[in-house]
């Protein structure tokens, strides 16, 4: 880093130093939780779409999961897993599973029956049919669920500060408590930009995919 | 869980305070969203911008927006109600727009042909048929605002979130669990109730 | 590529959740390169019969033979790649281009890229779609008639010895349908592909088929050349079905 930029950075109020680190923390928190939710939620959605038996209970559970306020889910981790990053990741992952599960199910079930019939009739194995027809056709809808989950996870990760998991919520809370308005506004703006950027980025990806059809 | 049994009156009073915040905010929000949605439904140029802006607003994490509102409006119920009104707009306006646009065009055409004024068309044909979709928007907005209203407990207003935050600071797990469970139940009940209402309004259209 | 022969030997089908038989005692042979139309009222078992050939439906009794071999002894997936399949709903894959759709079976068969490309262009030309204009189009951008043409080209992709078509022109308007009937029959005759063609339109059957198989209630009422069916309907049912088509 050249010296004028360095001098400028040092001239900022000390709390601002942490902002970049907390933003990184925030992204890691949300990203890890989202990754775990994808790993669990996508297969669960696929099972939902196939199994008449499990579909009802899984969708009902997802519906209830979507309804429970995120602060309640985060707080409930405390007696179970204590404070810090791991319980926050568990809570955020639990919150992100329902929108992913629901949209994967929706996307797979929206694949036209004629396309499935044609795929089988043309000699695709069950695996090929899933990889070449079902998954790509379901992808835009599934991805829009991931987009919802990602935006919600970034928002909920702000509340992770209350169970000691750090992130940009730390700066908002500290700014509010110490009357440090620059810190408060900078942190609020950063987390808002993160959420909007993810929402817009994944939104653009989804529309680009749909436009190709 | 014990806390629920030992302090039923306090939990009930906080639940009512929680509902009061949500009800006041949603009443004001709906009074804004209905005309806004009606205008947007008929203005295809304007509506994507409006809905896009409201969606962006909805995307802002609630703690961030609430904290900024507190610096501006002070502690207490006011910043919470303002935040809830702002967040609810997206789902409410979208419900109104989608509901109105979904009305069978043949019926709109028939009503025009029978000599309905634009106002009569809206009040007697479009809105009644759009009711289930509008109620769907109200349901999602209610669940979202119940969730955000938990933060009232952090900025000096009363809600079930108060139990969660007091539990966190006082290291009282039972209080915290009681607050979380009561909040979850409140959201689940509101969701179920509004779902039933939506179904009822659908059934009336058949 | 010459067409395979098909044999139906006392084929019966009863669906698990149905009380009656969908097919009963169906027996007939189709010669190599022959075009046979299957006609009959809705629900008489036409689709079921067609789908026994590529094992999308397994007969509960009897056997289906291709080139004299019982299809049950073949791997279902390998069998389907040798048997073309086109349906009324077309079922083009929306995320693939026209060329990718037509080339899907060759690609499943592991053909090299350039052979697939040549095959795709050849087939598109045969169904009167200019490869230059249509190769890279998405299915959504096709008219109903164009989509059906692509569906037929896709069914022929893997150089199948047998082509199965289930009301492939049922959803297009009359003028386009007439053009498609002529084009498609010419293509399969040029290629020598043995073709089973389901339709509920007797005029279509008369126009395209070497022989017509008339079905009713899961049974074959009559199987004969168009002229013979018109001249000597075997039953009252056949007579009524073709009444008015005589002119
Ligand atoms: N998957 C199925 N399960 C149960 N019954 C079926 C199924 N498919 C077809 N059927 C029944 O079998 C009979 C023949 O159907 P189908 O072969 O589709 O007739 P067509 O193609 O001549 O209209 C009908 O009575 C139909 O209801
Ligand atoms: Mg049929």
């Amino acid at each position: 880093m050249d010296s004028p930029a360095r001098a400028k950075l040092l001239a900022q109020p000390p709390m601002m130093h942490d902002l970049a680190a907390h933003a990184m923390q925030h992204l890691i928190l949300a990203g890890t939780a989202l990754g775990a939710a994808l790993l669990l939620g996508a297969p669960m959605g696929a099972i939902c779409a196939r199994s008449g038996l499990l579909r009802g209970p899984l969708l009902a559970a997802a519906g209830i999961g979507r309804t429970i306020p995120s602060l309640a889910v985060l707080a409930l981790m405390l007696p179970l897993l204590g404070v810090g990053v791991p319980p926050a990741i568990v809570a955020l992952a639990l919150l992100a599973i329902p929108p992913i599960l629901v949209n994967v199910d929706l996307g797979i079930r929206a694949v036209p029956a004629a396309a499935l019939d044609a795929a089988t009739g043309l000699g695709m194995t069950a695996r090929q049919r899933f990889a070449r027809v079902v998954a790509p056709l379901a992808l835009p809808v599934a991805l829009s669920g991931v987009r919802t989950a990602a935006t919600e996870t970034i928002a909920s990760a702000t509340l992770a500060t209350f169970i000691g998991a750090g992130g940009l919520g730390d700066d908002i809370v500290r700014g509010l408590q110490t009357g440090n308005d620059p810190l408060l506004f900078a942190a609020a703006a950063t987390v808002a930009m993160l959420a909007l950027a993810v929402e817009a980025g994944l939104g653009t990806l989804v529309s680009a995919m749909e436009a190709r059809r | 869980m014990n806390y629920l049994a030992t302090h039923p009156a306090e939990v009930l009073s906080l639940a009512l305070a929680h509902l009061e915040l949500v009800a006041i905010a949603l009443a004001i929000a709906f009074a804004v969203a209905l005309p806004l949605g009606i205008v947007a439904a008929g203005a295809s140029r304007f509506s994507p911008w409006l809905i896009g802006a409201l969606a962006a607003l909805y995307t802002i994490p609630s703690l961030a927006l609430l904290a900024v509102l507190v610096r501006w409006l002070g502690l207490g119920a006011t910043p919470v109600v303002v935040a809830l009104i702002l967040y609810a707009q997206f789902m409410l306006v979208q419900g109104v727009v989608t509901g109105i646009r979904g009305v069978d065009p043949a019926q709109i055409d028939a009503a025009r042909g029978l000599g309905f004024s634009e106002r009569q068309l809206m009040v007697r044909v479009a809105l009644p048929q759009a009711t289930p979709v509008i109620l769907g928007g109200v349901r999602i907005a209610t669940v979202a605002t119940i969730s955000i209203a938990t933060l009232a407990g952090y900025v000096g207003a009363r809600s079930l979130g108060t139990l969660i935050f007091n539990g966190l600071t006082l290291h009282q797990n039972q209080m915290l669990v009681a607050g979380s469970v009561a909040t979850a139940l409140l959201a689940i009940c509101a969701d179920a109730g509004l779902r039933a209402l939506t179904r009822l309004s659908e059934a009336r259209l058949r | 590529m010459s067409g395979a022969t098909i044999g139906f030997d006392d084929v019966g089908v009863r669906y698990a959740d149905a009380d009656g038989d969908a097919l009963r005692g169906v027996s007939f042979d189709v010669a190599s390169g022959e075009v046979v139309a299957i006609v009959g009222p809705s629900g008489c078992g036409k689709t079921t019969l067609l789908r026994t050939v590529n094992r999308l439906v397994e007969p509960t009794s009897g056997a289906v033979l291709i080139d004299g071999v019982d299809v049950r002894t073949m791997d279902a997936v390998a069998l389907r790649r040798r048997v073309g399949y086109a349906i009324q709903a077309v079922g083009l894959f929306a995320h693939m281009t026209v060329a990718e759709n037509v080339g899907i079976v060759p690609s499943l068969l592991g053909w090299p890229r350039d052979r697939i490309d040549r095959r795709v262009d050849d087939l598109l030309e045969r169904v009167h779609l200019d490869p230059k204009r249509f190769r890279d189009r998405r299915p959504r951008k096709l008219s109903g008639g164009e989509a059906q043409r692509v569906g037929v080209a896709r069914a022929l992709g893997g150089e199948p010895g047998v082509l199965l078509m289930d009301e492939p022109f049922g959803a297009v308007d009359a003028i386009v349908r007439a053009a498609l009937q002529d084009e498609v029959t010419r293509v399969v005759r040029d290629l020598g592909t043995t073709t089973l063609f389901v339709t509920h339109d007797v005029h279509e059957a008369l126009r395209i088929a070497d022989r017509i198989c008339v079905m009713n209630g899961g049974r074959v009422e009559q199987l004969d050349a168009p002229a013979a069916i018109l001249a000597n309907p075997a039953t009252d049912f056949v007579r009524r079905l073709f009444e008015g088509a005589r002119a």
Side-chain angles (χ1 to χ4, degrees), chain A residues 142-159:
Chain A
L143 202 62
S144 83
V146 175
R147 174 198 189 197
T148 308
T151 318
E152 283 177 10
T153 306
I154 288 181
S156 300
T158 319
L159 305 178

Side-chain angles (χ1 to χ4, degrees), chain A residues 67 69 75 78 151 173 177 181 184, chain B residues 59 67 71 147 154 173 176 183 187:
Chain A
T67 309
L78 201 120
T151 318
V173 165
Q177 281 172 352
D181 280 355
L184 166 60
Chain B
T59 304
R71 294 309 296 165
S147 176
Y154 185 68
N173 278 354
L176 174 159
T183 316

Side-chain angles (χ1 to χ4, degrees), chain C residues 46-47 166-167 198:
Chain C
K46 307 182 293 292
T47 296
D166 194 350
E167 309 203 20
V198 166

Side-chain angles (χ1 to χ4, degrees), chain B residues 1-116:
Chain B
M1 271 301 172
N2 277 340
Y3 195 91
L4 278 178
T6 49
H7 300 75
E10 189 196 351
V11 176
L12 188 67
S13 128
L14 287 171
L16 288 176
H18 201 128
L19 276 180
E20 193 183 345
L21 284 174
V22 169
I24 292 173
L26 280 178
I28 299 172
F30 192 74
V32 177
L34 187 63
L36 213 54
I38 289 173
V39 171
S44 53
R45 282 274 189 76
F46 162 66
S47 62
W49 290 100
L50 177 71
I51 300 219
L54 293 177
L57 186 65
Y58 181 68
T59 304
I60 297 173
S62 47
L63 183 64
L65 184 66
L66 186 61
V68 171
L69 288 172
V70 165
R71 294 309 296 165
W72 179 34
L73 301 168
L75 288 168
T78 316
V80 178
V81 171
V82 172
L84 298 186
I85 292 171
L86 291 173
Y87 279 116
Q89 284 309 305
F90 173 50
M91 279 92 63
L92 293 178
V93 170
Q94 199 171 41
V96 174
V97 171
T98 315
I100 292 176
R101 292 217 175 129
V103 177
D104 176 14
Q107 294 181 33
I108 303 271
D109 212 46
R112 285 226 171 84
L114 291 170
F116 283 56

Side-chain angles (χ1 to χ4, degrees), chain C residues 43-213:
Chain C
C44 71
K46 307 182 293 292
T47 296
T48 303
L49 181 64
L50 199 74
R51 287 160 68 94
T52 59
V53 178
N54 62 359
R55 290 186 59 190
L56 287 172
V57 169
E58 303 278 7
T60 26
S61 61
V64 179
L65 310 152
I66 290 184
D67 281 337
V69 180
D70 188 336
V71 295
R72 267 173 305 191
T73 65
M74 307 180 200
D75 174 55
V77 165
L79 165 72
R80 288 169 193 154
R81 291 175 188 175
R82 289 180 45 206
V83 174
Y85 183 56
I87 52 180
Q88 175 172 351
V90 201
L92 292 182
F93 304 131
H95 61 297
M96 298 181 189
T97 62
V98 164
E100 285 165 344
N101 267 284
V102 176
I104 186 69
V105 176
S107 128
L108 292 172
L109 290 168
W111 289 16
R113 188 73 262 155
D114 57 332
R115 184 174 168 208
I116 297 179
D117 289 344
R118 267 182 282 126
R119 179 72 182 159
V120 168
D121 287 351
D122 176 50
L123 284 170
L124 286 178
E125 269 162 17
R126 283 180 189 274
V127 297
H128 291 219
L129 295 173
D130 178 8
K132 279 196 282 303
R133 279 180 54 213
F134 284 95
R135 266 190 145 272
D136 298 323
R137 250 195 230 179
R138 297 277 164 182
R140 213 177 61 177
K141 301 269 163 65
L142 299 173
S143 71
E146 288 163 354
Q148 282 300 353
R149 288 180 160 91
V150 175
V152 172
R154 180 176 68 176
L156 291 167
E159 299 180 342
V162 172
L163 176 62
L164 309 174
M165 292 198 275
D166 194 350
E167 309 203 20
F169 313 138
V172 294
D173 65 58
I175 295 173
V176 176
R177 189 186 314 161
L180 279 170
Q181 286 163 355
D182 293 345
E183 281 169 30
V184 169
T185 31
R186 211 196 48 252
V187 171
V188 296
R189 283 182 202 289
D190 285 354
L191 295 170
T193 313
T194 310
T195 301
L196 283 183
F197 189 109
V198 166
T199 176
H200 61 247
D201 174 356
V202 294
H203 296 93
E204 185 163 88
L206 290 167
R207 191 175 172 121
I208 63 162
D210 296 318
R211 285 193 296 160
I212 297 175
C213 168

Side-chain angles (χ1 to χ4, degrees), chain A residues 23-213:
Chain A
M24 203 58 220
Q25 233 175 38
H26 199 101
L27 280 179
I28 290 170
L29 200 62
T32 312
L34 191 67
L38 257 175
L39 247 41
L40 291 168
M44 281 160 80
I47 290 171
C48 239
R50 302 202 124 201
S51 154
L53 210 65
L54 292 176
R55 185 159 192 268
L58 276 175
L59 285 184
I64 290 176
R66 284 196 103 154
T67 309
I68 299 177
S70 33
L71 182 66
V73 176
L74 278 158
L76 280 173
M77 287 303 123
L78 201 120
L80 299 173
L81 300 170
V83 294
V85 172
I89 287 176
V90 173
L92 295 176
L94 283 176
L95 287 164
I97 287 174
I100 295 173
L101 184 158
V102 168
N103 275 53
V104 168
D105 170 66
L106 207 66
I108 292 179
R109 285 167 50 90
V111 173
L116 292 177
D117 191 39
T120 314
L122 291 168
M124 291 193 192
T125 63
R127 256 211 155 105
Q128 285 169 332
R129 195 175 53 201
F130 187 80
R132 293 196 181 214
V133 178
V134 175
L137 283 175
L139 195 61
V141 177
L143 202 62
S144 83
V146 175
R147 174 198 189 197
T148 308
T151 318
E152 283 177 10
T153 306
I154 288 181
S156 300
T158 319
L159 305 178
T161 179
F162 296 124
I163 63 166
L168 286 164
D170 268 12
D171 301 295
I172 295 176
V173 165
R174 205 145 28 116
L176 202 58
Q177 281 172 352
T178 61
N180 184 343
D181 280 355
L183 181 66
L184 166 60
F185 289 125
T190 308
V191 78
M193 294 316 288
L194 280 183
L196 286 168
V198 166
E199 164 106 344
L202 288 176
T204 312
L205 197 63
V206 171
S207 354
M209 275 180 164
E210 274 163 355
R212 283 190 51 190
R213 299 287 154 84

